[in-house]
Amino acid sequence: MADKTSRSIRYADLNAGDNAETRRLIDAGNRLADEVARLFPSQPDIADRHYWLEAMINHVPDYIYAKDTEGRFLIANEVTVADNGLESLQDLVGKTDFDLHPHEFAQAVAGTERRVLETGEPIFGIEERAIVTKGRDRWLMTSKVPLRSKSGKIIGIVGISRDITDRKSAERLLEGQARLLEMIAKGKPLTEFFNELVLLIEALLPGIKGSILLLSEDGRHLLHGAAPSLDRAYSAAVHALEIGPNAGSCGTAAWRGEQVIVSDVYADPLWADYALLLKSSGLRSCWSTPILSRERKVLGTFALYAHEVATPCEQEQELIAMAAHLAGIAIERKRAEDRISFLAHHDALTGLPNRVLFEEQVDGMLEEIRERDQCAVLAFLDLDNFKLINDSLGHAAGDELLKAVAGRMRASVRKADFVVRVGGDEFIILLNGLPKERDIVLSRLEDIRSAIAMPLQLQGRSLQVSCSMGVACFPNQGRTAGELLANADMAMYRAKELGRDNIQVFTEEMAARAHEKLQWQEELREALAGEEFLLHFQPQMNLGTGRIFAAEALLRWNHPVRGIISPSVFIPLAEETGLIVPIGDACRQLKAWQDAGLPPLIISVNVSARQFRERNWASRVAEILKETGLEARYLELELTESLIMQDVPGAIATMHALEAIGVHLAIDDFGTGYSSLSALKRFPVRRLKIDRSFVTDIPLDADDMAITSAIISLAQKLGLRVIAEGVESEAQVEFLQKAGCDEIQGYFFSRPLSAEAFESLLSSARP
């Protein structure tokens, strides 16, 4: 018993330390030994406290040990002995860490223990790399406390170390995931993200090497994404690998869309054509997992390589799934960003650069051309009558036409040139680095125009579309992108004015005309504010009775400096800027004449395209009639052929709505537009107005006489009345009467009159 007591006292010395954790451990052992001794007094070996304490600490998986002040081991549990590469405690006692481990590791441990011995202060919960790795990096959480004698003197240290490798791996994984998600959020380059992802997995799985391959746009090949630890020659060899049912682990995984585990690349038939590529690297197994989108489409592969014949364990499978998922998120995010960036700088329909990208790059392009002492040509073009095609065949057909035209333009220029879709059916072409010969430049543009005009099949129909093109040359006709574009735009509108389907090069005369137009627009605005506009009325006479039956309301501009300005000067511009004949004023004036007892007549008002396209235009006319108190049957609206043909179905619907109100309709300038007879019979109109251009040369021009007679005959057969405008001579009147014309308007009978003069004329014409 004396021997047992002495041993118990020696272990009690350990209890004198300040380490609460150690003290609780030993106290628990002592209490357990006391309880066993009480319960089993007849079994002294079981009651031996030393035995029970030793058994207890040997069953603890943590390192438990004590050292003297020189760092020599005094005692340790079995796991400490075994992990230091020894067979028994006797082999460890008396040795230091310097005897067992490399100097730099032992020095770090000795430094920590020296601090405890010198200060007498314990150190709890320090995290440190394990000296013994067991084939992988390990982390320990260590606590060290002073070992004191009964008198309180420090005679050594007591240490406890717990393996926290799994916890550190989990922390590293969480930190790595957070870092990777931050990279995705910040839009870091995919290559940088992939490298970070692979290195994280490799750090968590020592000895394993990772690889990411991306599926090509055509869906047939795998392209290098990241493989920071793999042999570069191997990565280069598998770049552009064609996927298939027997294309190694990665090519097969991408083909199948499911994980492919190959434990031995030298024995698996999937690697028959690729195993030799791995021979120099010493890698033996390859586990590949497809990277999938949210729609389960293959985006690429994530693969791990091992040096041994092996299959992934549960932990490795979890890391593989996590890595493939994060890679998928990053790829989809990058594609979404690329798509957004593309759409911000390109036209979604045609794929051509848009105005934004043009403005960002064109100045730099022009600067390069200036330095090379070359010229550039900017062409602004618009497809002719595109709206008619779009409306008649539908928007889907219009879109197909735009895509076809865009493709033709792209095919007609060089890579250095720039083709831009501005919007609608408008495009910009910038030809770079051209010689300064005008003929060469125009020849290039004519080739493009001819390519656009080639026949194409659309919805089973063969169509041709022409374009109007305006051209400005750098640097002579514009030194900045803005100047070039503005001048080319002016030239394009000039091309339209000249009949479309042609090319016009910008001239200073165009600039002067544009400046004049701008000045007119400004004066028009001032005229509106200054109430310089007034209505005149031109009588319309019935050829059968010789009486005034109607009057056309005409807008006149009484300019304070220029005097009365001809409508031919300002009406086209006024319609562009939204200035219209005030229907309300015309109706109000007619109602006033009616209230004054003058003979009843019809007031005829021209309708602009801008007015006619207004929403609920018929309702607006009804409101005007209600406000003025004029009956609808006294109002006639004149519509031009070109206005109606811009949108035939919409025009007919609006015309029927006006007819339902009771308003009369007439087609103005008949014969100058391009309405078809099939469309004409659908129009709910009452009168045709023969354009003055056919009347002016009667009776001298036989062609005009024939056309006029044909229009009158057509109107009669359709049950329409006919009025000829611009009638100025008695010979014209005689011809029109013989041809069967119903009514006339022109200087022969009366010029346009002010309201007061027209009222006097009506008064004198009373029966």
Side-chain angles (χ1 to χ4, degrees), residues 399-604:
D399 288 347
E400 288 302 313
L401 174 62
L402 290 173
K403 287 192 284 187
V405 169
R408 290 177 175 184
M409 285 190 286
R410 219 170 359 213
S412 301
V413 300
R414 303 162 302 172
K415 287 185 178 180
D417 299 328
F418 215 43
V419 181
V420 178
R421 184 186 178 199
V422 180
D425 59 336
E426 293 182 335
F427 297 86
I428 296 171
I429 299 176
L430 182 65
L431 303 179
N432 290 316
L434 294 176
K436 296 183 178 180
E437 288 80 0
R438 177 187 174 95
D439 291 343
I440 295 176
V441 171
L442 290 178
S443 175
R444 287 283 308 279
L445 294 173
E446 282 290 356
D447 289 343
I448 296 171
R449 198 167 67 89
S450 298
I452 292 172
M454 291 288 290
L456 64 112
Q457 291 295 317
L458 204 63
Q459 294 186 348
R461 302 185 183 186
S462 179
L463 294 177
Q464 282 183 280
V465 60
S466 61
C467 70
S468 300
M469 188 181 296
V471 178
C473 299
F474 172 85
N476 295 335
Q477 295 167 346
R479 303 190 66 83
T480 66
E483 290 178 1
L484 285 170
L485 196 55
N487 292 342
D489 192 17
M490 273 187 267
M492 187 269 287
Y493 276 101
R494 181 58 178 160
K496 283 191 172 295
E497 289 173 1
L498 294 176
R500 309 182 183 189
D501 191 20
N502 68 92
I503 298 175
Q504 291 296 311
V505 179
F506 171 79
T507 63
E508 290 301 324
E509 181 186 353
M510 293 180 188
R513 191 185 300 114
H515 178 74
E516 182 182 12
K517 182 177 180 180
L518 187 64
Q519 185 175 349
W520 275 112
Q521 288 177 339
E522 184 60 31
E523 291 191 26
L524 275 171
R525 286 197 264 302
E526 292 176 359
L528 279 172
E531 298 183 352
E532 298 173 10
F533 291 100
L534 49 90
L535 282 179
H536 279 193
F537 300 88
Q538 186 167 31
Q540 295 176 341
M541 185 182 75
N542 185 300
L543 282 176
T545 64
R547 297 180 58 183
I548 299 172
F549 73 96
E552 181 178 0
L554 300 170
L555 195 63
R556 291 294 181 263
W557 182 2
N558 187 13
H559 194 283
V561 177
R562 306 174 192 257
I564 298 294
I565 297 176
S566 169
S568 62
V569 174
F570 74 87
I571 286 294
L573 184 60
E575 290 190 348
E576 282 184 33
T577 55
L579 176 63
I580 55 177
V581 175
I583 293 178
D585 289 352
C587 293
R588 198 170 290 108
Q589 180 61 71
L590 180 57
K591 185 67 170 79
W593 286 334
Q594 289 179 352
D595 292 343
L598 294 177
L601 68 144
I602 294 170
I603 196 76
S604 180

Side-chain angles (χ1 to χ4, degrees), residues 123-417:
I123 295 176
F124 296 112
I126 62 171
E127 295 181 359
E128 58 184 2
R129 283 188 185 275
I131 297 175
V132 180
T133 64
K134 295 184 178 180
R136 61 171 182 150
D137 282 346
R138 293 168 63 236
W139 284 84
L140 302 175
M141 178 176 284
T142 299
S143 296
K144 295 183 179 182
V145 299
L147 175 63
R148 298 178 185 272
S149 65
K150 287 183 178 180
S151 63
K153 181 182 178 182
I154 296 175
I155 59 174
I157 64 106
V158 174
I160 300 177
S161 298
R162 172 165 294 174
D163 191 325
I164 59 168
T165 303
D166 289 343
R167 196 196 81 190
K168 290 291 289 185
S169 295
E171 289 176 356
R172 180 183 292 179
L173 177 59
L174 287 174
E175 291 171 358
Q177 287 175 322
R179 187 167 61 252
L180 289 166
L181 289 172
E182 183 180 4
M183 293 177 73
I184 293 175
K186 290 184 176 179
K188 294 290 185 180
L190 275 184
T191 302
E192 185 179 334
F193 173 84
F194 289 155
N195 276 316
E196 185 76 17
L197 175 60
V198 172
L199 290 172
L200 172 64
I201 301 302
E202 290 177 347
L204 295 171
L205 302 174
I208 297 291
K209 296 182 179 181
S211 164
I212 292 178
L213 298 173
L214 296 175
L215 192 65
S216 61
E217 287 188 10
D218 62 10
R220 296 174 54 192
H221 301 85
L222 289 174
L223 309 177
H224 176 72
S229 303
L230 284 179
D231 182 69
R232 290 187 177 180
Y234 173 74
S235 296
V238 298
H239 177 69
L241 168 73
E242 186 170 2
I243 69 173
N246 296 288
S249 299
C250 296
T252 307
W255 175 268
R256 296 178 184 174
E258 60 185 33
Q259 189 179 53
V260 173
I261 305 281
V262 175
S263 59
D264 187 354
V265 298
Y266 298 113
D268 197 299
L270 295 180
W271 277 80
D273 297 331
Y274 309 100
L276 289 178
L277 297 174
L278 280 179
K279 191 170 185 180
S280 62
S281 65
L283 297 171
R284 196 66 185 268
S285 58
C286 180
W287 322 319
S288 184
T289 300
I291 300 170
L292 302 175
S293 69
R294 283 172 296 180
E295 292 78 23
R296 309 297 296 172
K297 293 182 180 179
V298 176
L299 303 174
T301 60
F302 177 80
L304 293 182
Y305 296 80
H307 289 278
E308 303 83 21
V309 174
T311 57
C313 64
E314 182 179 352
Q315 179 200 11
E316 289 165 338
Q317 283 284 34
E318 290 176 355
L319 289 174
I320 289 170
M322 179 275 296
H325 180 62
L326 285 179
I329 293 174
I331 294 170
E332 287 200 288
R333 171 66 182 266
K334 183 63 169 61
R335 288 186 176 182
E337 289 177 350
D338 291 345
R339 180 62 177 164
I340 291 170
S341 177
F342 181 85
L343 291 177
H345 295 88
H346 292 79
D347 172 52
L349 177 65
T350 63
L352 292 176
N354 61 13
R355 181 78 172 263
V356 175
L357 184 60
F358 173 75
E359 291 177 349
E360 286 179 0
Q361 296 187 2
V362 67
D363 286 331
M365 297 168 68
L366 294 179
E367 186 59 35
E368 291 179 6
I369 294 168
R370 183 183 288 110
E371 291 174 357
R372 294 196 300 265
D373 193 29
Q374 293 177 316
C375 79
V377 171
L378 189 146
F380 194 98
L381 66 93
D382 178 279
L383 302 183
D384 298 329
N385 301 324
F386 173 74
K387 188 177 187 307
L388 180 61
I389 296 173
N390 209 33
D391 291 345
S392 58
L393 298 183
H395 291 288
D399 288 347
E400 288 302 313
L401 174 62
L402 290 173
K403 287 192 284 187
V405 169
R408 290 177 175 184
M409 285 190 286
R410 219 170 359 213
S412 301
V413 300
R414 303 162 302 172
K415 287 185 178 180
D417 299 328

